Structures are given as C-alpha cells and as structure tokens.
Amino acid sequence: NAGVTQTPKFQVLKTGQSMTLQCAQDMNHNSMYWYRQDPGMGLRLIYYSASEGTTDKGEVPNGYNVSRLNKREFSLRLESAAPSQTSVYFCASSEKRGRDFNSPLHFGNGTRLTVT
Amino acid sequence: ELKVEQNPLFLSMQEGKNYTIYCNYSTTSDRLYWYRQDPGKSLESLFVLLSNGAVKQEGRLMASLDTKARLSTLHITAAVHDLSATYFCAVEWVGGSQGNLIFGKGTKLSVKP
C-alpha cells in the first residue's frame, strides 16, 4: 500500500524557473493538502482541496497554484520560483473533513526544493 | 486566526526520565492531533484527541486534551533513545468552510543515554 506518493524527492531550480510537484494517493481520500516546512516554522498550509473539483487557499498561497486533477492527484505549481520558496514540501491526504469527520492527515515523504 | 504554540521547542532528556511537552492554542477547537517526525522523514500520526478530557496512550507516550484550557500535553515516561524525534501538535481550525490543521513549530526531542 503506497499511501501518499510525491515526486520528485529533490529539485534545484534557478530563480524564475517553473516546476510542478506531483502528488498521488491511493487511499480513496477526499481531501488533499500541500504544506511547506521551514526550519523553526513548523508546517504551513499552502493550498488544500476538500474534494475533487475544489481548491482553496491556506495560510501561505502566494506564488503557488494547484490543480486537483482527479480524486487521486493534487499538484502544486511554482510559476516563477523565488529563493523564499526554498523549503520542504509535503503533500497530505485525509478522509472527508468537517464537523463529523476527524481522521488524521497522511503525509507523503516530501520534496526538498532549493531555489538559487 | 488560530495560533498554536508548543513548548519547549528543544528538549534534551536522559534515558529513563519523564517529561511533558505542552501545546497551547488560541481559539476554540475540540480536535487536536500529535505527529512524530524523524530527521529527513515524513510525519507519522501518533494521536487523535477529539473531546475535552480525552486521553490516549501508546507505549511510553500519553497525550491529553483540555479544551477549556486550550491545552494538550504529550507526556513521555521513562524515555528511551528511540523516542528521539520532532513532535508536532496540530489543531483543527473549524472556523473556516472546513476544518484545516494548524501546526505548532514542533518540539525537537533528544534522548541521551
């Protein structure tokens, strides 16, 4: 059971380049998330998708776009990378969230991105 | 806006000792999660706490939730080296259109012989 799979694992970009981080889950989860983790900052939510066909901004959405391609896949795009986007990016998924749903998030292994 | 504060941020313990990590949050929530992260690895779910007074235990770790005080604790009993990791609490923010998890900055635990 693969769980949440992220690609690539590592990436180095130059300022201004673009790239897409891919995420897929095989747990039939409704909700998917993108977080970034920076030293001393914990995890901060970039975007999330409550269900297929919907996406919403999180705490730090500027400079990013997302696509919920289908129920399994949720991609994160950096259109013009900046050094401030150097971080470790985690994709996560969970069952449907809301008042009556409360499952934990399942995380992928992360993508370590460096922007020079 | 929901803020989540953990303390301490760094904790160096000797094997066999007990200690507690604290997680305070700023607005009403009755759902709190604890995660563990090993260096260079992903986050692993440890506990899900869903109501006031909830207590969960797994091995040497015990988590509790006091929603009135907006406080959760993660208690470590007789620490062993294998518990060395970073521990995050995350609080579900139900103020928006759906619940989202807001994470604390993490507590880096180092257990030494």
Side-chain angles (χ1 to χ4, degrees):
Chain A
N1 190 350
V4 179
T5 303
Q6 289 182 236
T7 56
K9 292 183 179 180
F10 301 94
Q11 183 72 48
V12 178
L13 293 178
K14 294 184 178 178
T15 297
Q17 287 185 317
S18 62
M19 79 160 294
T20 300
L21 281 64
Q22 307 286 353
C23 176
Q25 52 91 9
D26 62 3
M27 296 175 282
N28 201 35
H29 284 166
N30 286 293
S31 300
M32 297 185 74
Y33 307 80
W34 278 104
Y35 284 88
R36 60 177 288 173
Q37 183 178 30
D38 302 292
M41 298 293 291
L43 279 81
R44 293 180 291 170
L45 181 65
I46 305 171
Y47 271 94
Y48 66 96
S49 171
S51 60
E52 185 179 356
T54 69
T55 60
D56 283 288
K57 296 179 180 179
E59 301 170 77
V60 289
N62 291 344
Y64 305 94
N65 285 301
V66 291
S67 295
R68 183 74 183 266
L69 304 171
N70 47 55
K71 190 172 185 179
R72 290 186 62 249
E73 299 173 286
F74 188 39
S75 63
L76 178 71
R77 183 161 178 83
L78 287 70
E79 291 291 352
S80 179
S84 61
Q85 294 178 305
T86 293
S87 187
V88 180
Y89 292 85
F90 285 98
C91 177
S93 71
S94 73
E95 295 175 4
K96 183 179 177 181
R97 306 204 71 77
R99 189 64 248 175
D100 300 319
F101 301 91
N102 42 53
S103 64
L105 302 185
H106 298 260
F107 285 86
N109 287 329
T111 295
R112 190 173 296 272
L113 175 66
T114 301
V115 183
T116 61
Chain B
E1 182 185 350
L2 174 60
K3 294 188 186 296
V4 180
E5 292 188 358
Q6 284 182 241
N7 69 82
L9 298 182
F10 299 93
L11 179 55
S12 181
M13 297 177 63
Q14 282 192 307
E15 280 191 331
K17 298 292 187 182
N18 304 334
Y19 210 85
T20 301
I21 299 170
Y22 297 89
C23 175
N24 290 89
Y25 54 97
S26 61
T27 62
T28 301
S29 176
D30 58 3
R31 304 182 190 190
L32 191 138
Y33 305 79
W34 283 96
Y35 288 86
R36 169 183 171 143
Q37 185 181 35
D38 293 301
K41 302 293 186 181
S42 186
L43 283 82
E44 172 192 357
S45 177
L46 291 175
F47 299 110
V48 180
L49 302 170
L50 300 175
S51 61
N52 187 39
V55 177
K56 295 277 185 76
Q57 183 162 6
E58 180 76 30
R60 300 174 187 274
L61 300 177
M62 183 173 72
S64 66
L65 178 61
D66 181 342
T67 59
K68 295 179 181 177
R70 298 177 185 168
L71 171 68
S72 179
T73 61
L74 181 66
H75 187 72
I76 303 154
T77 302
V80 292
H81 179 69
D82 286 351
L83 291 179
S84 296
T86 299
Y87 294 85
F88 292 93
C89 65
V91 180
E92 184 141 4
W93 182 35
V94 294
S97 59
Q98 69 150 32
N100 289 315
L101 297 191
I102 305 297
F103 283 77
K105 293 184 178 180
T107 297
K108 185 172 183 178
L109 172 65
S110 176
V111 181
K112 305 185 181 214

